[in-house]
Amino acid sequence: DASVTCTCAGDCVNAAIPYCAVANAPCDVAPSPSPSNVGAFMYCVPDACKCLDSWTYNSQQYTGCSTTPDSPSNPWCYVSDECAVAYEKNTTLGITSKWKYCTDGLDS
């Protein structure tokens, strides 16, 4: 449910992508398998890794997590260039900013 707000049950674990255990239902069925067998977890998303509110790709305007004609079943978005865990730009493919898939656990 997109309206559910999951919260950390403790501090974020410092990892390649920081994460924390969650305890509040329905967040107790957060993504798995979880890192280090912590059970239900969520990624601790730095502000830099949240989807940009509005972005342009191949001359089309998009908002937040969106599907595109070349990615109809896997929504994605542009993020700040400061996001250390996002995919890099690829201007050859028309990708002019760092980006992420919205299903990678770094949802905004």
Side-chain angles (χ1 to χ4, degrees):
D1 181 340
S3 66
V4 171
T5 300
C6 300
T7 56
C8 289
D11 293 334
C12 290
V13 174
N14 190 13
I17 302 176
Y19 65 92
C20 66
V22 294
N24 57 318
C27 295
D28 56 0
V29 292
S32 66
S34 58
S36 303
N37 300 315
V38 296
F41 77 101
M42 63 185 255
Y43 290 108
C44 302
V45 181
D47 286 342
C49 295
K50 293 188 177 185
C51 289
L52 298 181
D53 290 336
S54 177
W55 47 280
T56 303
Y57 173 67
N58 286 342
S59 302
Q60 295 281 58
Q61 190 72 24
Y62 297 94
T63 57
C65 281
S66 296
T67 57
T68 56
D70 56 352
S71 186
S73 60
N74 201 357
W76 63 282
C77 66
Y78 281 160
V79 296
S80 168
D81 284 343
E82 285 78 41
C83 179
V85 295
Y87 294 100
E88 292 295 326
K89 303 175 189 180
N90 187 331
T91 53
T92 304
L93 297 176
I95 300 171
T96 58
S97 184
K98 282 190 168 183
W99 64 282
K100 67 171 185 169
Y101 285 114
C102 299
T103 55
D104 66 3
L106 292 175
D107 293 349
S108 61

PDB file of all heavy atoms in Angstrom, residues 1-6 42-55 63-66 75-80 83 100-108:
ATOM      1  N   ASP A   1       0.850  -1.175   0.000  1.00  0.00           N
ATOM      2  CA  ASP A   1       0.000   0.000   0.000  1.00  0.00           C
ATOM      3  C   ASP A   1       0.892   1.234   0.000  1.00  0.00           C
ATOM      4  O   ASP A   1       1.701   1.422   0.906  1.00  0.00           O
ATOM      5  CB  ASP A   1      -0.886  -0.034   1.230  1.00  0.00           C
ATOM      6  CG  ASP A   1      -1.837   1.148   1.322  1.00  0.00           C
ATOM      7  OD1 ASP A   1      -1.579   2.179   0.668  1.00  0.00           O
ATOM      8  OD2 ASP A   1      -2.829   1.038   2.043  1.00  0.00           O
ATOM      9  N   ALA A   2       0.752   2.075  -1.016  1.00  0.00           N
ATOM     10  CA  ALA A   2       1.620   3.238  -1.178  1.00  0.00           C
ATOM     11  C   ALA A   2       1.428   4.267  -0.073  1.00  0.00           C
ATOM     12  O   ALA A   2       2.285   5.104   0.151  1.00  0.00           O
ATOM     13  CB  ALA A   2       1.375   3.881  -2.542  1.00  0.00           C
ATOM     14  N   SER A   3       0.303   4.218   0.649  1.00  0.00           N
ATOM     15  CA  SER A   3       0.066   5.209   1.693  1.00  0.00           C
ATOM     16  C   SER A   3       0.689   4.812   3.029  1.00  0.00           C
ATOM     17  O   SER A   3       0.684   5.576   3.974  1.00  0.00           O
ATOM     18  CB  SER A   3      -1.434   5.419   1.877  1.00  0.00           C
ATOM     19  OG  SER A   3      -2.031   4.243   2.374  1.00  0.00           O
ATOM     20  N   VAL A   4       1.237   3.608   3.131  1.00  0.00           N
ATOM     21  CA  VAL A   4       1.850   3.146   4.363  1.00  0.00           C
ATOM     22  C   VAL A   4       3.240   3.758   4.512  1.00  0.00           C
ATOM     23  O   VAL A   4       4.010   3.793   3.573  1.00  0.00           O
ATOM     24  CB  VAL A   4       1.969   1.603   4.369  1.00  0.00           C
ATOM     25  CG1 VAL A   4       2.792   1.132   5.548  1.00  0.00           C
ATOM     26  CG2 VAL A   4       0.603   0.978   4.374  1.00  0.00           C
ATOM     27  N   THR A   5       3.541   4.256   5.694  1.00  0.00           N
ATOM     28  CA  THR A   5       4.870   4.776   5.974  1.00  0.00           C
ATOM     29  C   THR A   5       5.582   3.791   6.877  1.00  0.00           C
ATOM     30  O   THR A   5       5.153   3.540   7.993  1.00  0.00           O
ATOM     31  CB  THR A   5       4.790   6.147   6.667  1.00  0.00           C
ATOM     32  OG1 THR A   5       4.106   7.050   5.811  1.00  0.00           O
ATOM     33  CG2 THR A   5       6.171   6.684   6.961  1.00  0.00           C
ATOM     34  N   CYS A   6       6.644   3.220   6.366  1.00  0.00           N
ATOM     35  CA  CYS A   6       7.446   2.286   7.150  1.00  0.00           C
ATOM     36  C   CYS A   6       8.503   3.080   7.903  1.00  0.00           C
ATOM     37  O   CYS A   6       9.037   4.057   7.395  1.00  0.00           O
ATOM     38  CB  CYS A   6       8.117   1.270   6.241  1.00  0.00           C
ATOM     39  SG  CYS A   6       6.950   0.283   5.282  1.00  0.00           S
ATOM     40  N   MET A  42      14.120  -2.053   5.373  1.00  0.00           N
ATOM     41  CA  MET A  42      13.958  -1.028   4.355  1.00  0.00           C
ATOM     42  C   MET A  42      15.287  -0.318   4.212  1.00  0.00           C
ATOM     43  O   MET A  42      16.122  -0.345   5.119  1.00  0.00           O
ATOM     44  CB  MET A  42      12.852  -0.037   4.716  1.00  0.00           C
ATOM     45  CG  MET A  42      13.109   0.769   5.981  1.00  0.00           C
ATOM     46  SD  MET A  42      11.705   1.804   6.445  1.00  0.00           S
ATOM     47  CE  MET A  42      12.312   3.397   5.948  1.00  0.00           C
ATOM     48  N   TYR A  43      15.501   0.263   3.049  1.00  0.00           N
ATOM     49  CA  TYR A  43      16.721   1.022   2.840  1.00  0.00           C
ATOM     50  C   TYR A  43      16.583   2.406   3.448  1.00  0.00           C
ATOM     51  O   TYR A  43      15.502   2.993   3.441  1.00  0.00           O
ATOM     52  CB  TYR A  43      17.056   1.131   1.355  1.00  0.00           C
ATOM     53  CG  TYR A  43      17.503  -0.187   0.770  1.00  0.00           C
ATOM     54  CD1 TYR A  43      16.689  -0.892  -0.093  1.00  0.00           C
ATOM     55  CD2 TYR A  43      18.744  -0.722   1.105  1.00  0.00           C
ATOM     56  CE1 TYR A  43      17.093  -2.108  -0.619  1.00  0.00           C
ATOM     57  CE2 TYR A  43      19.157  -1.941   0.588  1.00  0.00           C
ATOM     58  CZ  TYR A  43      18.330  -2.619  -0.278  1.00  0.00           C
ATOM     59  OH  TYR A  43      18.738  -3.818  -0.787  1.00  0.00           O
ATOM     60  N   CYS A  44      17.654   2.912   3.996  1.00  0.00           N
ATOM     61  CA  CYS A  44      17.695   4.267   4.538  1.00  0.00           C
ATOM     62  C   CYS A  44      18.113   5.174   3.377  1.00  0.00           C
ATOM     63  O   CYS A  44      19.276   5.213   3.005  1.00  0.00           O
ATOM     64  CB  CYS A  44      18.711   4.366   5.673  1.00  0.00           C
ATOM     65  SG  CYS A  44      18.363   3.204   7.018  1.00  0.00           S
ATOM     66  N   VAL A  45      17.147   5.828   2.800  1.00  0.00           N
ATOM     67  CA  VAL A  45      17.379   6.577   1.573  1.00  0.00           C
ATOM     68  C   VAL A  45      17.810   8.010   1.890  1.00  0.00           C
ATOM     69  O   VAL A  45      17.042   8.766   2.471  1.00  0.00           O
ATOM     70  CB  VAL A  45      16.103   6.610   0.714  1.00  0.00           C
ATOM     71  CG1 VAL A  45      16.350   7.363  -0.582  1.00  0.00           C
ATOM     72  CG2 VAL A  45      15.612   5.208   0.439  1.00  0.00           C
ATOM     73  N   PRO A  46      19.031   8.351   1.505  1.00  0.00           N
ATOM     74  CA  PRO A  46      19.436   9.743   1.694  1.00  0.00           C
ATOM     75  C   PRO A  46      18.600  10.637   0.771  1.00  0.00           C
ATOM     76  O   PRO A  46      18.142  10.206  -0.276  1.00  0.00           O
ATOM     77  CB  PRO A  46      20.908   9.760   1.289  1.00  0.00           C
ATOM     78  CG  PRO A  46      21.193   8.448   0.666  1.00  0.00           C
ATOM     79  CD  PRO A  46      20.048   7.526   0.918  1.00  0.00           C
ATOM     80  N   ASP A  47      18.402  11.878   1.171  1.00  0.00           N
ATOM     81  CA  ASP A  47      17.604  12.797   0.360  1.00  0.00           C
ATOM     82  C   ASP A  47      18.088  12.853  -1.084  1.00  0.00           C
ATOM     83  O   ASP A  47      17.295  12.980  -2.003  1.00  0.00           O
ATOM     84  CB  ASP A  47      17.608  14.198   0.964  1.00  0.00           C
ATOM     85  CG  ASP A  47      16.748  14.284   2.214  1.00  0.00           C
ATOM     86  OD1 ASP A  47      15.898  13.387   2.427  1.00  0.00           O
ATOM     87  OD2 ASP A  47      16.924  15.228   2.974  1.00  0.00           O
ATOM     88  N   ALA A  48      19.395  12.747  -1.283  1.00  0.00           N
ATOM     89  CA  ALA A  48      19.952  12.823  -2.633  1.00  0.00           C
ATOM     90  C   ALA A  48      19.467  11.689  -3.516  1.00  0.00           C
ATOM     91  O   ALA A  48      19.514  11.783  -4.739  1.00  0.00           O
ATOM     92  CB  ALA A  48      21.480  12.824  -2.581  1.00  0.00           C
ATOM     93  N   CYS A  49      18.989  10.597  -2.918  1.00  0.00           N
ATOM     94  CA  CYS A  49      18.564   9.433  -3.692  1.00  0.00           C
ATOM     95  C   CYS A  49      17.054   9.358  -3.894  1.00  0.00           C
ATOM     96  O   CYS A  49      16.553   8.387  -4.460  1.00  0.00           O
ATOM     97  CB  CYS A  49      19.062   8.155  -3.036  1.00  0.00           C
ATOM     98  SG  CYS A  49      20.864   8.041  -3.032  1.00  0.00           S
ATOM     99  N   LYS A  50      16.343  10.359  -3.456  1.00  0.00           N
ATOM    100  CA  LYS A  50      14.903  10.374  -3.689  1.00  0.00           C
ATOM    101  C   LYS A  50      14.637  10.859  -5.107  1.00  0.00           C
ATOM    102  O   LYS A  50      15.391  11.665  -5.656  1.00  0.00           O
ATOM    103  CB  LYS A  50      14.207  11.259  -2.662  1.00  0.00           C
ATOM    104  CG  LYS A  50      14.329  10.647  -1.281  1.00  0.00           C
ATOM    105  CD  LYS A  50      13.520  11.361  -0.257  1.00  0.00           C
ATOM    106  CE  LYS A  50      13.673  10.603   1.064  1.00  0.00           C
ATOM    107  NZ  LYS A  50      12.861  11.116   2.109  1.00  0.00           N
ATOM    108  N   CYS A  51      13.576  10.359  -5.702  1.00  0.00           N
ATOM    109  CA  CYS A  51      13.231  10.750  -7.068  1.00  0.00           C
ATOM    110  C   CYS A  51      13.048  12.256  -7.178  1.00  0.00           C
ATOM    111  O   CYS A  51      12.470  12.886  -6.286  1.00  0.00           O
ATOM    112  CB  CYS A  51      11.926  10.080  -7.500  1.00  0.00           C
ATOM    113  SG  CYS A  51      12.067   8.324  -7.788  1.00  0.00           S
ATOM    114  N   LEU A  52      13.535  12.802  -8.286  1.00  0.00           N
ATOM    115  CA  LEU A  52      13.253  14.204  -8.566  1.00  0.00           C
ATOM    116  C   LEU A  52      11.760  14.348  -8.808  1.00  0.00           C
ATOM    117  O   LEU A  52      11.120  13.450  -9.374  1.00  0.00           O
ATOM    118  CB  LEU A  52      14.026  14.674  -9.795  1.00  0.00           C
ATOM    119  CG  LEU A  52      15.558  14.629  -9.707  1.00  0.00           C
ATOM    120  CD1 LEU A  52      16.171  15.145 -10.995  1.00  0.00           C
ATOM    121  CD2 LEU A  52      16.048  15.442  -8.520  1.00  0.00           C
ATOM    122  N   ASP A  53      11.196  15.460  -8.377  1.00  0.00           N
ATOM    123  CA  ASP A  53       9.760  15.680  -8.562  1.00  0.00           C
ATOM    124  C   ASP A  53       9.383  15.690 -10.036  1.00  0.00           C
ATOM    125  O   ASP A  53       8.353  15.154 -10.435  1.00  0.00           O
ATOM    126  CB  ASP A  53       9.327  17.004  -7.931  1.00  0.00           C
ATOM    127  CG  ASP A  53       9.387  16.963  -6.415  1.00  0.00           C
ATOM    128  OD1 ASP A  53       9.305  15.858  -5.843  1.00  0.00           O
ATOM    129  OD2 ASP A  53       9.541  18.033  -5.809  1.00  0.00           O
ATOM    130  N   SER A  54      10.223  16.282 -10.854  1.00  0.00           N
ATOM    131  CA  SER A  54       9.950  16.417 -12.281  1.00  0.00           C
ATOM    132  C   SER A  54      11.261  16.246 -13.036  1.00  0.00           C
ATOM    133  O   SER A  54      12.297  16.748 -12.603  1.00  0.00           O
ATOM    134  CB  SER A  54       9.357  17.808 -12.534  1.00  0.00           C
ATOM    135  OG  SER A  54       9.134  18.007 -13.897  1.00  0.00           O
ATOM    136  N   TRP A  55      11.222  15.507 -14.157  1.00  0.00           N
ATOM    137  CA  TRP A  55      12.432  15.285 -14.929  1.00  0.00           C
ATOM    138  C   TRP A  55      12.070  15.029 -16.387  1.00  0.00           C
ATOM    139  O   TRP A  55      10.937  14.702 -16.716  1.00  0.00           O
ATOM    140  CB  TRP A  55      13.269  14.155 -14.340  1.00  0.00           C
ATOM    141  CG  TRP A  55      12.517  12.905 -13.980  1.00  0.00           C
ATOM    142  CD1 TRP A  55      11.780  12.691 -12.850  1.00  0.00           C
ATOM    143  CD2 TRP A  55      12.414  11.708 -14.750  1.00  0.00           C
ATOM    144  NE1 TRP A  55      11.237  11.440 -12.860  1.00  0.00           N
ATOM    145  CE2 TRP A  55      11.605  10.796 -14.013  1.00  0.00           C
ATOM    146  CE3 TRP A  55      12.920  11.302 -15.969  1.00  0.00           C
ATOM    147  CZ2 TRP A  55      11.300   9.523 -14.479  1.00  0.00           C
ATOM    148  CZ3 TRP A  55      12.620  10.016 -16.433  1.00  0.00           C
ATOM    149  CH2 TRP A  55      11.823   9.155 -15.681  1.00  0.00           C
ATOM    150  N   THR A  63       7.209  12.655 -13.863  1.00  0.00           N
ATOM    151  CA  THR A  63       7.208  13.045 -12.452  1.00  0.00           C
ATOM    152  C   THR A  63       7.476  11.822 -11.587  1.00  0.00           C
ATOM    153  O   THR A  63       6.987  10.721 -11.876  1.00  0.00           O
ATOM    154  CB  THR A  63       5.855  13.660 -12.034  1.00  0.00           C
ATOM    155  OG1 THR A  63       4.817  12.729 -12.294  1.00  0.00           O
ATOM    156  CG2 THR A  63       5.596  14.961 -12.774  1.00  0.00           C
ATOM    157  N   GLY A  64       8.275  12.019 -10.527  1.00  0.00           N
ATOM    158  CA  GLY A  64       8.553  10.942  -9.578  1.00  0.00           C
ATOM    159  C   GLY A  64       8.979   9.658 -10.257  1.00  0.00           C
ATOM    160  O   GLY A  64       9.710   9.672 -11.237  1.00  0.00           O
ATOM    161  N   CYS A  65       8.521   8.524  -9.734  1.00  0.00           N
ATOM    162  CA  CYS A  65       8.779   7.222 -10.350  1.00  0.00           C
ATOM    163  C   CYS A  65       7.821   7.053 -11.520  1.00  0.00           C
ATOM    164  O   CYS A  65       6.613   7.142 -11.330  1.00  0.00           O
ATOM    165  CB  CYS A  65       8.544   6.096  -9.345  1.00  0.00           C
ATOM    166  SG  CYS A  65       9.893   5.880  -8.197  1.00  0.00           S
ATOM    167  N   SER A  66       8.357   6.810 -12.692  1.00  0.00           N
ATOM    168  CA  SER A  66       7.514   6.710 -13.885  1.00  0.00           C
ATOM    169  C   SER A  66       8.007   5.601 -14.795  1.00  0.00           C
ATOM    170  O   SER A  66       9.180   5.256 -14.798  1.00  0.00           O
ATOM    171  CB  SER A  66       7.544   8.023 -14.683  1.00  0.00           C
ATOM    172  OG  SER A  66       7.000   9.081 -13.950  1.00  0.00           O
ATOM    173  N   PRO A  75       9.308   0.965 -13.457  1.00  0.00           N
ATOM    174  CA  PRO A  75       9.410   2.407 -13.254  1.00  0.00           C
ATOM    175  C   PRO A  75      10.778   2.821 -12.733  1.00  0.00           C
ATOM    176  O   PRO A  75      11.425   2.081 -12.006  1.00  0.00           O
ATOM    177  CB  PRO A  75       8.313   2.712 -12.242  1.00  0.00           C
ATOM    178  CG  PRO A  75       7.889   1.423 -11.684  1.00  0.00           C
ATOM    179  CD  PRO A  75       8.325   0.337 -12.596  1.00  0.00           C
ATOM    180  N   TRP A  76      11.182   4.011 -13.120  1.00  0.00           N
ATOM    181  CA  TRP A  76      12.470   4.546 -12.717  1.00  0.00           C
ATOM    182  C   TRP A  76      12.367   6.056 -12.623  1.00  0.00           C
ATOM    183  O   TRP A  76      11.339   6.642 -12.962  1.00  0.00           O
ATOM    184  CB  TRP A  76      13.570   4.114 -13.682  1.00  0.00           C
ATOM    185  CG  TRP A  76      13.416   4.608 -15.093  1.00  0.00           C
ATOM    186  CD1 TRP A  76      12.577   4.120 -16.055  1.00  0.00           C
ATOM    187  CD2 TRP A  76      14.105   5.701 -15.693  1.00  0.00           C
ATOM    188  NE1 TRP A  76      12.710   4.838 -17.208  1.00  0.00           N
ATOM    189  CE2 TRP A  76      13.648   5.809 -17.019  1.00  0.00           C
ATOM    190  CE3 TRP A  76      15.071   6.591 -15.241  1.00  0.00           C
ATOM    191  CZ2 TRP A  76      14.119   6.785 -17.897  1.00  0.00           C
ATOM    192  CZ3 TRP A  76      15.544   7.560 -16.120  1.00  0.00           C
ATOM    193  CH2 TRP A  76      15.074   7.646 -17.439  1.00  0.00           C
ATOM    194  N   CYS A  77      13.451   6.698 -12.164  1.00  0.00           N
ATOM    195  CA  CYS A  77      13.458   8.156 -12.064  1.00  0.00           C
ATOM    196  C   CYS A  77      14.886   8.671 -12.016  1.00  0.00           C
ATOM    197  O   CYS A  77      15.817   7.935 -11.747  1.00  0.00           O
ATOM    198  CB  CYS A  77      12.702   8.619 -10.825  1.00  0.00           C
ATOM    199  SG  CYS A  77      13.480   8.131  -9.265  1.00  0.00           S
ATOM    200  N   TYR A  78      15.005   9.969 -12.268  1.00  0.00           N
ATOM    201  CA  TYR A  78      16.264  10.662 -12.070  1.00  0.00           C
ATOM    202  C   TYR A  78      16.393  11.041 -10.599  1.00  0.00           C
ATOM    203  O   TYR A  78      15.396  11.304  -9.930  1.00  0.00           O
ATOM    204  CB  TYR A  78      16.336  11.928 -12.908  1.00  0.00           C
ATOM    205  CG  TYR A  78      16.660  11.717 -14.367  1.00  0.00           C
ATOM    206  CD1 TYR A  78      16.357  12.701 -15.290  1.00  0.00           C
ATOM    207  CD2 TYR A  78      17.274  10.566 -14.832  1.00  0.00           C
ATOM    208  CE1 TYR A  78      16.652  12.550 -16.628  1.00  0.00           C
ATOM    209  CE2 TYR A  78      17.572  10.395 -16.174  1.00  0.00           C
ATOM    210  CZ  TYR A  78      17.269  11.401 -17.065  1.00  0.00           C
ATOM    211  OH  TYR A  78      17.560  11.239 -18.387  1.00  0.00           O
ATOM    212  N   VAL A  79      17.629  11.048 -10.113  1.00  0.00           N
ATOM    213  CA  VAL A  79      17.933  11.456  -8.746  1.00  0.00           C
ATOM    214  C   VAL A  79      19.059  12.493  -8.791  1.00  0.00           C
ATOM    215  O   VAL A  79      19.647  12.725  -9.842  1.00  0.00           O
ATOM    216  CB  VAL A  79      18.347  10.248  -7.873  1.00  0.00           C
ATOM    217  CG1 VAL A  79      17.211   9.248  -7.730  1.00  0.00           C
ATOM    218  CG2 VAL A  79      19.592   9.569  -8.422  1.00  0.00           C
ATOM    219  N   SER A  80      19.371  13.053  -7.664  1.00  0.00           N
ATOM    220  CA  SER A  80      20.451  14.030  -7.570  1.00  0.00           C
ATOM    221  C   SER A  80      21.788  13.381  -7.924  1.00  0.00           C
ATOM    222  O   SER A  80      22.026  12.206  -7.636  1.00  0.00           O
ATOM    223  CB  SER A  80      20.505  14.580  -6.146  1.00  0.00           C
ATOM    224  OG  SER A  80      21.691  15.301  -5.948  1.00  0.00           O
ATOM    225  N   CYS A  83      23.701  11.352  -5.239  1.00  0.00           N
ATOM    226  CA  CYS A  83      23.307  10.017  -4.783  1.00  0.00           C
ATOM    227  C   CYS A  83      24.419   9.023  -5.127  1.00  0.00           C
ATOM    228  O   CYS A  83      24.679   8.743  -6.294  1.00  0.00           O
ATOM    229  CB  CYS A  83      21.989   9.587  -5.420  1.00  0.00           C
ATOM    230  SG  CYS A  83      21.464   7.941  -4.906  1.00  0.00           S
ATOM    231  N   LYS A 100      17.704   5.706 -10.923  1.00  0.00           N
ATOM    232  CA  LYS A 100      17.484   4.456 -10.191  1.00  0.00           C
ATOM    233  C   LYS A 100      16.163   3.848 -10.640  1.00  0.00           C
ATOM    234  O   LYS A 100      15.261   4.542 -11.111  1.00  0.00           O
ATOM    235  CB  LYS A 100      17.436   4.708  -8.694  1.00  0.00           C
ATOM    236  CG  LYS A 100      16.199   5.522  -8.292  1.00  0.00           C
ATOM    237  CD  LYS A 100      16.031   5.589  -6.801  1.00  0.00           C
ATOM    238  CE  LYS A 100      14.720   6.312  -6.483  1.00  0.00           C
ATOM    239  NZ  LYS A 100      14.368   6.196  -5.101  1.00  0.00           N
ATOM    240  N   TYR A 101      16.073   2.535 -10.483  1.00  0.00           N
ATOM    241  CA  TYR A 101      14.783   1.861 -10.643  1.00  0.00           C
ATOM    242  C   TYR A 101      14.016   2.042  -9.345  1.00  0.00           C
ATOM    243  O   TYR A 101      14.592   2.012  -8.260  1.00  0.00           O
ATOM    244  CB  TYR A 101      14.961   0.368 -10.911  1.00  0.00           C
ATOM    245  CG  TYR A 101      15.422   0.061 -12.308  1.00  0.00           C
ATOM    246  CD1 TYR A 101      16.680  -0.485 -12.536  1.00  0.00           C
ATOM    247  CD2 TYR A 101      14.600   0.303 -13.408  1.00  0.00           C
ATOM    248  CE1 TYR A 101      17.108  -0.783 -13.826  1.00  0.00           C
ATOM    249  CE2 TYR A 101      15.028   0.016 -14.684  1.00  0.00           C
ATOM    250  CZ  TYR A 101      16.276  -0.525 -14.895  1.00  0.00           C
ATOM    251  OH  TYR A 101      16.699  -0.805 -16.160  1.00  0.00           O
ATOM    252  N   CYS A 102      12.733   2.188  -9.441  1.00  0.00           N
ATOM    253  CA  CYS A 102      11.923   2.400  -8.243  1.00  0.00           C
ATOM    254  C   CYS A 102      11.667   1.103  -7.485  1.00  0.00           C
ATOM    255  O   CYS A 102      11.156   1.135  -6.373  1.00  0.00           O
ATOM    256  CB  CYS A 102      10.612   3.076  -8.614  1.00  0.00           C
ATOM    257  SG  CYS A 102      10.910   4.689  -9.376  1.00  0.00           S
ATOM    258  N   THR A 103      12.048  -0.007  -8.042  1.00  0.00           N
ATOM    259  CA  THR A 103      11.872  -1.303  -7.395  1.00  0.00           C
ATOM    260  C   THR A 103      13.160  -1.790  -6.744  1.00  0.00           C
ATOM    261  O   THR A 103      13.247  -2.918  -6.326  1.00  0.00           O
ATOM    262  CB  THR A 103      11.399  -2.355  -8.417  1.00  0.00           C
ATOM    263  OG1 THR A 103      12.341  -2.368  -9.504  1.00  0.00           O
ATOM    264  CG2 THR A 103      10.017  -2.031  -8.933  1.00  0.00           C
ATOM    265  N   ASP A 104      14.179  -0.908  -6.660  1.00  0.00           N
ATOM    266  CA  ASP A 104      15.475  -1.334  -6.129  1.00  0.00           C
ATOM    267  C   ASP A 104      15.616  -1.155  -4.618  1.00  0.00           C
ATOM    268  O   ASP A 104      16.669  -1.339  -4.074  1.00  0.00           O
ATOM    269  CB  ASP A 104      16.599  -0.611  -6.845  1.00  0.00           C
ATOM    270  CG  ASP A 104      16.623   0.882  -6.592  1.00  0.00           C
ATOM    271  OD1 ASP A 104      15.770   1.347  -5.801  1.00  0.00           O
ATOM    272  OD2 ASP A 104      17.468   1.566  -7.168  1.00  0.00           O
ATOM    273  N   GLY A 105      14.509  -0.797  -3.960  1.00  0.00           N
ATOM    274  CA  GLY A 105      14.567  -0.599  -2.519  1.00  0.00           C
ATOM    275  C   GLY A 105      14.909   0.819  -2.128  1.00  0.00           C
ATOM    276  O   GLY A 105      14.948   1.146  -0.962  1.00  0.00           O
ATOM    277  N   LEU A 106      15.160   1.671  -3.091  1.00  0.00           N
ATOM    278  CA  LEU A 106      15.467   3.069  -2.815  1.00  0.00           C
ATOM    279  C   LEU A 106      14.289   3.958  -3.173  1.00  0.00           C
ATOM    280  O   LEU A 106      14.455   5.081  -3.614  1.00  0.00           O
ATOM    281  CB  LEU A 106      16.701   3.514  -3.609  1.00  0.00           C
ATOM    282  CG  LEU A 106      18.010   2.881  -3.196  1.00  0.00           C
ATOM    283  CD1 LEU A 106      19.117   3.322  -4.139  1.00  0.00           C
ATOM    284  CD2 LEU A 106      18.360   3.240  -1.767  1.00  0.00           C
ATOM    285  N   ASP A 107      13.086   3.441  -3.020  1.00  0.00           N
ATOM    286  CA  ASP A 107      11.907   4.218  -3.379  1.00  0.00           C
ATOM    287  C   ASP A 107      11.852   5.508  -2.601  1.00  0.00           C
ATOM    288  O   ASP A 107      12.257   5.573  -1.459  1.00  0.00           O
ATOM    289  CB  ASP A 107      10.621   3.421  -3.102  1.00  0.00           C
ATOM    290  CG  ASP A 107      10.485   2.218  -3.999  1.00  0.00           C
ATOM    291  OD1 ASP A 107      11.268   2.109  -4.962  1.00  0.00           O
ATOM    292  OD2 ASP A 107       9.612   1.386  -3.740  1.00  0.00           O
ATOM    293  N   SER A 108      11.305   6.509  -3.253  1.00  0.00           N
ATOM    294  CA  SER A 108      11.182   7.794  -2.572  1.00  0.00           C
ATOM    295  C   SER A 108       9.895   7.835  -1.789  1.00  0.00           C
ATOM    296  O   SER A 108       9.038   7.017  -1.943  1.00  0.00           O
ATOM    297  CB  SER A 108      11.208   8.915  -3.578  1.00  0.00           C
ATOM    298  OG  SER A 108      10.132   8.798  -4.462  1.00  0.00           O
TER     299      SER A 108
END
